[in-house]
Amino acid sequence: MSKTAILEFEGKRYEFPVIEGTEKELAIDIKTLRGTTGMITIDPGYKNTGSCESAITFLDGEKGILRYRGYSIEDLAKDADFLEVAYLLIFGELPSKEELTKFHNDIKHESHVDEEMKKILDGFPKSAHPMGVLSSLTSALVAFNPSSVDVSSEEAMYNSIVRILAKFPVLVAWTMRKKKGLPLDYGDDSLGYVENIHKMMFKRPNKEYTKDKIVIDALDKLLILHADHEQNCSTSTVRIVGSSHAGLFVSLSAGVSALWGPLHGGANQAVLEMLEAIDADGGDTKKYMAKAKDKNDPFRLMGFGHRVYKNFDPRAKIIKKSADEVLGRLGIDDPILDIAKGLEKEALEDKYFVDRKLYPNVDFYSGIIYRALGIPTDMFTVMFALGRLPGWIAQWREMRLKGEPIGRPRQVYIGENLRKFKPVNKR
Ligand code: CMC
């Protein structure tokens, strides 16, 4: 039997359908609310607002569950590779061997970035934050690939998708190499998708590139863990920009900007900087715990807390284990890892954190692995963007295929009522 919710206001009763997701989540469908009642809802930060119905990612913040297209994040991180996961997220099913080969070949075919793009990159100072550079370059790609704006057919959409999956990693590599003063190279079509990204980032001009399986596997896993997270800030940004029928590349560029903030993807950089500051300050974790709890101190324990997870972030569990393995296998003894573990232990036993259900999130340990892999701290959020790319694309594609309306929230106006204009000499 279909469920309904009743709203009573000023003696009138209004009925709204309740929709149920495949995991039994309930939502009151208020599409007709304003038309029938003249009212809107208000929900700053959209804490109670579903912006869409989506078949891509399921997460249960209470139980600490994350699944892409029905597959658990634990299974995917263990057994899949990043390109397979990208295909799964975007097209809905795990690819057959042939489908995956074709997908990869189509990406390889598009892996050239116009040389003129190097001039744009050259215009940035070396000190520019890589996220600002990446967002600008992603947007600038449109000028060199004008046909990518046309996404009126599924085929045109597919072409834009493989293009950006091919070119975005080149932009990521160039952004890092420019900062390091290294020549801007292209990839190597004979390599796997992630291995090629690694080579593009780290190949020295005067040295043969050698594959390090531990490093490639760790990178692959990190990218998978970041690949999608339903309607978070950057994904909602991508969807809302795309809802105006702006093209894929500019929608993604907006997503990169949204991800940059320290409350979102920028937290991985902020975590490492925080751990380094604690280390430089003598490693006194208790002092920083006290700062995090002090309401007069703006300091927050970066890498802790999550809008949706009110139990362990399942990604953090996998990453913590991976950090131990990667550092162990690479023979790195990093004092930062001990500080992180100390902070986590204290926070998990502290009433402030327990009461507020604040647990380590995906960003708490990821930076430690990135650092071990030789990735500079200000590139961490760029690595998050690289991982999130398939998720953004999948969400954008789903929105376009469903023909969702332009995103346009309403507001409750609380400003002045009509006032009479006074010319400047009379004010
Ligand atoms: N350190 C200290 N106190 C915290 C923290 C923290 N990291 N996070 C939340 N709180 C407190 C907050 O002060 C508030 O306390 P009170 O109820 O006394 O006012 C309470 O916990 C609820 O916090 P909130 O800010 O209302 O929660 P939110 O759901 O709006 O914010 C968050 C979620 C992730 C922005 C927040 O937990 C935070 O700022 N964390 C640190 C930044 C971070 O690690 N971000 C990465 C998120 S995961 C990666 C991603 O998906 O982008």
Side-chain angles (χ1 to χ4, degrees), residues 6-14 36-39:
I6 308 289
L7 170 72
E8 270 190 34
F9 183 67
E10 293 183 334
K12 283 197 185 138
R13 266 168 74 87
Y14 305 93
T36 51
T37 68
M39 288 189 288

Side-chain angles (χ1 to χ4, degrees), residues 215 326-327 330 332 334 367-375:
V215 168
V326 172
L327 268 66
L330 293 176
I332 297 172
D334 192 341
I368 294 170
I369 307 183
Y370 287 137
R371 185 158 112 136
L373 302 187
I375 295 171

